[in-house]
Each structure stands twice: as C-alpha cells, then as structure tokens.
Amino acid sequence: MRARFAVVVALLPFLVAATGRFHNDAMKVRGFEPPVGWDAQPVGSYARLLGAWETKDGGRLTLVAQKVAAGASARSLADESRPALARQGFRAITLSPAPPAGDESDRLLLDASIDEGRRFVRQLYAVSGAVGYVVTMVGPAARATGMRRDFDEAAASLSVGDGGEATAPQKRRSEEH
C-alpha cells in the first residue's frame, strides 16, 4: 500500500479539483484553504486526490490523503516517496521541518526541481493518526518565490485529525491590503 501511495504522490504534480474553504470528513480534513486566486479543477476518479487547484501563471496545487500503517510519520512517507519522485524527474530533493500546525499532525517539507530546473516542487507531508496527507505545488521556477509563499499559507491552513474544530482562516497577505 505504501508503494502505491508513493506512486500517487509522484504523479500528483501532473494530475489536475474545489475552491474556498475545503473539508473532507471521510479523510479527516477539517479545513484547507487553497491560495487566493487559484482556481478549482475537477478531481475525476482519483481516489486519493481530494482537491486540485491551478493558477493562470502555470502553478498546480493538489491535496491527497490515504490511510497509512501504524507508526507512519511524515518523514517515513517522504523517505518512501523519494525513489518514485526521483524516477519522475525530481532533482535536488531536500527535506526540512515544517512549521507546526494547530493540530496534532506530524509535518515535513520537501523541495525539489523538475524539468531541468524550469519548474519547482514543494510538498508538505503530514500524518495524523492513521491518515497521511500530501499537499503538492508545482510551478515555473521564475515564479517560485511568490508561489512558495502561497504554498506556505495554504499548508498552514491544513487542519487534520479527529479532534476539535477546524482552525479559523488566517488573514492572507492578499487580503491585508
């Protein structure tokens, strides 16, 4: 099952679904806010793909979730995905701690480049209980700085797990002006 999860994660940047505040009770997503200005895309029949969004600037954002084995962590999911990601052309893969969220999830960031450096990839791996989540953004390298800020805001909005209410939406930089 973990190998299939790694393959789905590897293919996500190339797949293309709901906008506004997103939630999915079945997969314990209490809240997720795609970046302002990103348009929802159809999900289709991809079972693990919960949502997908695009921007006119060539960026894609996806949210997937899947049940994981007991004891799985964000690090173990990322480590298991690395070979599949490398086969998909991900280069210069780096892992770093993700800022803590207002939920009980374990989180880790992955950064990479694809298409000979013409595009960047940023992923958030999160595990809460028996569910693993991956938020993936792919975009043109020339737009990486702004799109990474969008990613960081969206990733911070991801609220998962069993307990409590979804976290309140944070004021976004585009809403402050």
Side-chain angles (χ1 to χ4, degrees):
M1 174 167 18
R2 287 179 155 185
R4 284 185 295 187
F5 187 61
V7 170
V8 169
V9 168
L11 294 174
L12 283 177
F14 309 103
L15 302 174
V16 214
T19 190
R21 186 123 178 113
F22 175 86
H23 76 279
N24 182 304
D25 293 333
M27 293 309 288
K28 301 180 181 182
V29 177
R30 297 189 326 239
F32 178 74
E33 291 184 45
V36 173
W38 289 63
D39 298 320
Q41 301 300 305
V43 174
S45 61
Y46 300 105
R48 295 173 189 94
L49 180 62
L50 302 181
W53 299 264
E54 288 186 347
T55 183
K56 292 173 181 65
D57 294 336
R60 290 194 177 130
L61 178 74
T62 57
L63 169 62
V64 297
Q66 176 179 313
K67 300 228 182 264
V68 294
S73 67
R75 168 76 61 180
S76 69
L77 291 182
D79 288 344
E80 290 170 19
S81 297
R82 283 180 82 136
L85 297 175
R87 285 191 300 275
Q88 292 293 318
F90 285 45
R91 301 292 179 253
I93 296 173
T94 61
L95 299 175
S96 60
D103 60 23
E104 69 276 3
S105 66
D106 169 40
R107 296 176 178 225
L108 183 73
L109 288 174
L110 180 145
D111 285 291
S113 64
I114 55 174
D115 296 337
E116 298 175 0
R118 290 188 301 273
R119 294 191 300 158
F120 78 94
V121 179
R122 177 167 270 191
Q123 294 183 311
L124 171 73
Y125 287 81
V127 174
S128 178
V131 182
Y133 306 88
V134 180
V135 178
T136 301
M137 180 180 281
V138 177
R143 302 265 304 126
T145 301
M147 286 186 176
R148 282 187 179 123
R149 277 193 305 267
D150 284 349
F151 176 90
D152 292 345
E153 288 178 4
S157 79
L158 180 64
S159 178
V160 296
D162 288 323
E165 295 295 315
T167 56
Q170 296 178 0
K171 186 177 260 189
R172 300 195 173 222
R173 66 184 154 79
S174 57
E175 295 172 347
E176 292 173 352
H177 297 80

